[in-house]
Amino acid sequence: MPTWQQLRDLDWGRLNDAADGWGAVSNAADAARDRVSAEMTNALEKSQEGEGAKAAVRRLRRLNENFDYAYIECGLVRTSLNSLAFELRSPQRRLGQALEDAAATKFAVGADGSVSYPAGGESLIDGSKAPGGTVAGRSSPLAARPSLDGRLPAGGPSPLLNANPNHAKAWAIADAIAHAVLEAQQIDRRFSQALNRLKAKPGLRVDKAAWTDTAGDAAAVRGVAGGYLKDNVPIDASPVERNTWWHSLTEEQREEYLAVYPNVVGNLDGIPAAVRDEANRDNLTLLIGKLEGDDSEKAKSQLAGLRSIEGQLAANTEEQASRRPKEPPMLLLGVGDEGRGRAVVAFGNPDSTKHVSAYVPGLGTALDEKFATNDVQRARDTAINAQKLHPSSSSIVWLGYDAPQIAPDAETLLGNLDVMSTASADAGAPAFNSFMAGLSATNGNEDPHVTAIGHSYGSRLVGAATQAEGGIPAADDIILLGSPGVGVDRAEELGVGKDHVYVGAAENDPVTTLPSKPEVVAGAAAVVIGGSYAAGDIADQGDDDIWFGKDPASAAFGATRFVVDDGPLPVVDGKGPTPAHSNYFNPKSVEEGGDPKSAANIAAVIAGRSDLLTTEQHR
């Protein structure tokens, strides 16, 4: 625990030097893991076969994981030391001011921090000279101390108790010293606890327990480094302002943010996509470590989804090392375990491509293995299809909100109140608009072509996003797929012009033919009063109105409806109540369960080739 003398003599520059040393080790580990992966593991897999080669690859991957662990842990040490130096400057500065005040008044400061003052003033009782003395400091708040001009605070000791004006001055100086030392001791205690966590087990065996421990280490360092790093992050700024902030940082500052706050940097709209991907890959590792230590069903479900994404990222990275990769580069633009989970995955770099699309999934989506398998695949297929028409195309799946879920005991969509409410869409729309604004802030093309896609309930969120002031940032086109309505009755109300709103609605997709709310109310009332309706008769009456407004595929709505396959009939031809609802993005043949016409039309819009659309009549 530091004394006032140690605090006075502290050379925090040495702490910064030590931090730089740990930073150098962290950077070296970062470079080494990239080299092991790109130059050694991938090369060995492509050039060698047999059990010996497989064993070597396993060892290289273990080495890569060790370097990854060292990179994160050493980065945490660096930031801890830099943050410690940063926080100690304030009490050291206040201590220095107090010592200067003592020297100016010729008061003596004792080894214990007490302050001795000379005789002075006159007693109000007998007029004798008030003697000098020594006062010890208190660690009470500065607001309760006397000022250095000798005046006492309201409610303080009466001047009759000590008429020597030097007493009050000494008291203030002693208190300032005590307060500075106490603050330094509290800082020292907090950082000692955090640094004591940053220890590797003998032999540096990086296993699940080690990653769980690392997740805790990162959380501990974030807890003590807030004033040094996180408080400076422009959380409440616009994506453009965040982009400016990031580019204003030094290389060392960026490294520290990436090491300690990958969860913040990776999910901050306006930060370059490549940086977000780098941060989120590290955050993905920490999240997996965190969830490994959680036995709840939510954690298990999210862990399965994260592990699937991790495996796909690794496979895509290896494929990109080949001369002719079969698919665009995969980037992780967002990830988190809040709510039902968050994940934003891109195929193709949205900062460099001319044509960018962002797809919002809907009903039943959560961060789980199903999302990682199905929704991520939709973004992959869409990017590949769009690049056939224009090579500078990218596609994103954006799970940045809590989509409504179907209750296990709900026999129909109408049996789930969550799905039928606009609450999730209204809550998620601002986050989607922020993300889209971030794409605009980081894209390097002079006039990028941006498409917003809403599938299922996600189309309702896109509809809500269009109603914000200025609409969806930078959006040129909107695609609505399997939509239960978007909250407006005319395509022109979506803010991009009705000729830039496109709709895909399969005839056998029941989500696109949900009854309107008045129809449900009328049907329910008829049941209650014994009318002609039965429970199964509460259905769409064939007009232009569905649950969230006008049917986007209707003539009254006014969008361009493109050709999609009818899809399998509910229950009869397929599995479950909505088999046709999930085929829109699938480029496989109809026989294989896909919808190649729909996938081709989606790609045509995204690639700026709406002239290639095949259209069909409105409902």
Side-chain angles (χ1 to χ4, degrees):
M1 301 295 286
T3 64
W4 73 263
Q5 295 93 335
Q6 290 173 321
L7 180 59
R8 175 197 61 192
D9 299 335
L10 173 68
D11 180 4
W12 42 261
R14 295 182 63 186
L15 288 173
N16 291 139
D17 290 341
D20 289 343
W22 284 99
V25 177
S26 178
N27 290 339
D30 185 25
R33 67 173 178 170
D34 291 343
R35 185 177 179 184
V36 167
S37 177
E39 298 181 18
M40 300 172 69
T41 308
N42 292 345
L44 186 60
E45 285 185 313
K46 289 179 173 60
S47 62
Q48 303 293 324
E49 297 181 355
E51 292 304 316
K54 292 179 181 179
V57 166
R58 286 194 296 270
R59 295 184 66 179
L60 285 172
R61 285 178 174 164
R62 191 179 309 124
L63 178 62
N64 180 280
E65 195 166 18
N66 286 349
F67 279 131
D68 193 20
Y69 177 85
Y71 158 72
I72 293 175
E73 290 284 343
C74 292
L76 294 175
V77 175
R78 170 179 60 182
T79 297
S80 296
L81 294 174
N82 276 333
S83 185
L84 175 60
F86 172 81
E87 290 204 30
L88 285 174
R89 293 182 197 183
S90 178
Q92 187 187 52
R93 184 169 55 252
R94 289 202 302 276
L95 172 66
Q97 184 60 56
L99 295 177
E100 288 180 12
D101 291 338
T105 53
K106 295 184 170 47
F107 293 176
V109 179
D112 61 352
S114 61
V115 177
S116 299
Y117 58 92
E122 294 182 352
S123 170
L124 298 181
I125 297 177
D126 58 9
S128 62
K129 193 169 187 177
T134 300
V135 292
R138 305 172 307 168
S139 58
S140 58
L142 286 171
R145 304 187 191 106
S147 61
L148 293 181
D149 62 5
R151 293 177 296 172
L152 294 173
S158 168
L160 295 176
L161 299 179
N162 194 324
N164 188 341
N166 293 323
H167 171 77
K169 296 178 182 179
W171 183 27
I173 293 172
D175 274 0
I177 293 173
H179 184 75
V181 171
L182 177 64
E183 183 180 0
Q185 290 174 343
Q186 291 172 337
I187 292 170
D188 178 81
R189 184 181 300 111
R190 284 193 293 111
F191 278 90
S192 292
Q193 292 172 348
L195 285 166
N196 282 334
R197 287 188 59 105
L198 306 180
K199 297 177 181 178
K201 295 180 179 179
L204 191 61
R205 181 173 178 81
V206 181
D207 52 17
K208 292 181 180 179
W211 283 120
T212 299
D213 185 63
T214 298
D217 293 346
V221 173
R222 291 168 192 160
V224 298
Y228 172 62
L229 287 179
K230 189 176 182 182
D231 290 352
N232 296 318
V233 178
I235 298 294
D236 297 326
S238 70
V240 171
E241 291 169 330
R242 293 168 183 166
N243 185 264
T244 300
W245 165 77
W246 180 259
H247 287 291
S248 73
L249 299 176
T250 65
E251 188 62 30
E252 181 181 355
Q253 288 173 323
R254 293 177 188 173
E255 290 171 358
E256 288 199 81
Y257 278 109
L258 287 171
V260 181
Y261 289 104
N263 59 323
V264 175
V265 174
N267 291 289
L268 201 62
D269 299 324
I271 301 301
V275 176
R276 293 181 69 164
D277 177 60
E278 179 182 355
N280 282 317
R281 289 181 188 235
D282 290 333
N283 189 32
L284 178 65
T285 300
L286 295 176
L287 278 173
I288 289 174
K290 172 186 174 182
L291 295 175
E292 287 282 6
D294 188 338
D295 291 330
S296 68
E297 289 304 313
K298 172 188 171 182
K300 292 177 181 178
S301 179
Q302 291 187 350
L303 184 60
L306 293 174
R307 286 209 173 280
S308 178
I309 291 173
E310 181 185 45
Q312 292 179 58
L313 285 167
N316 182 271
T317 300
E318 292 178 5
E319 189 195 75
Q320 295 305 308
S322 66
R323 292 185 178 181
R324 294 186 178 182
K326 297 179 181 178
E327 63 182 48
M330 180 180 179
L331 290 83
L332 187 58
L333 303 183
V335 67
D337 62 344
E338 60 267 33
R340 297 190 181 104
R342 303 287 185 266
V344 184
V345 180
F347 288 90
N349 189 329
D351 287 357
S352 59
T353 50
K354 172 72 174 179
H355 301 279
V356 182
S357 69
Y359 140 59
V360 183
L363 178 64
T365 311
L367 178 56
D368 53 20
E369 193 165 13
K370 180 181 176 182
F371 166 83
T373 302
N374 297 337
D375 294 279
V376 171
Q377 183 62 44
R378 290 170 184 169
R380 178 186 284 110
D381 289 337
T382 301
I384 293 172
N385 272 354
Q387 287 193 355
K388 292 176 182 177
L389 300 177
H390 196 296
S392 185
S393 299
S394 60
S395 178
I396 302 165
V397 54
W398 182 86
L399 180 59
Y401 80 116
D402 284 332
Q405 307 294 298
I406 297 180
D409 57 348
E411 295 181 2
T412 67
L413 295 177
L414 294 177
N416 189 321
L417 296 178
D418 224 14
V419 176
M420 310 319 294
S421 166
T422 65
S424 295
D426 294 337
F432 182 65
N433 279 342
S434 174
F435 177 75
M436 297 298 280
L439 294 181
S440 177
T442 58
N443 190 284
N445 291 279
E446 184 176 347
D447 185 22
H449 171 239
V450 179
T451 303
I453 306 174
H455 174 237
S456 183
Y457 187 89
S459 68
R460 183 62 184 84
L461 186 149
V462 169
T466 67
Q467 300 309 294
E469 184 177 355
I472 299 175
D476 299 292
D477 293 312
I478 292 175
I479 301 176
L480 307 172
L481 302 167
S483 176
V486 295
V488 300
D489 290 335
R490 298 289 183 270
E492 54 261 33
E493 296 178 62
L494 297 180
V496 294
K498 71 174 187 177
D499 292 338
H500 292 273
V501 179
Y502 304 91
V503 176
E507 285 303 313
N508 293 330
D509 181 355
V511 175
T512 68
T513 57
L514 288 173
S516 65
K517 295 177 184 178
E519 289 168 345
V520 171
V521 172
V527 171
V528 170
I529 64 176
S532 61
Y533 278 80
D537 292 328
I538 302 176
D540 183 34
Q541 303 303 298
D543 56 20
D544 294 330
D545 296 315
I546 55 176
W547 188 257
F548 290 123
K550 289 292 181 186
D551 178 3
S554 69
F557 190 80
T560 299
R561 185 185 184 192
F562 56 78
V563 172
V564 304
D565 187 73
D566 289 346
L569 288 166
V571 181
V572 177
D573 292 336
K575 298 178 180 179
T578 60
H581 188 57
S582 304
N583 292 351
Y584 296 100
F585 297 91
N586 194 336
K588 293 180 179 179
S589 67
V590 174
E591 292 72 22
E592 295 175 295
D595 189 347
K597 292 181 180 179
S598 175
N601 282 323
I602 293 170
V605 174
I606 292 171
R609 295 298 309 275
S610 58
D611 58 300
L612 299 178
L613 277 179
T614 55
T615 61
E616 64 178 313
Q617 291 184 343
H618 297 101
R619 286 176 173 166

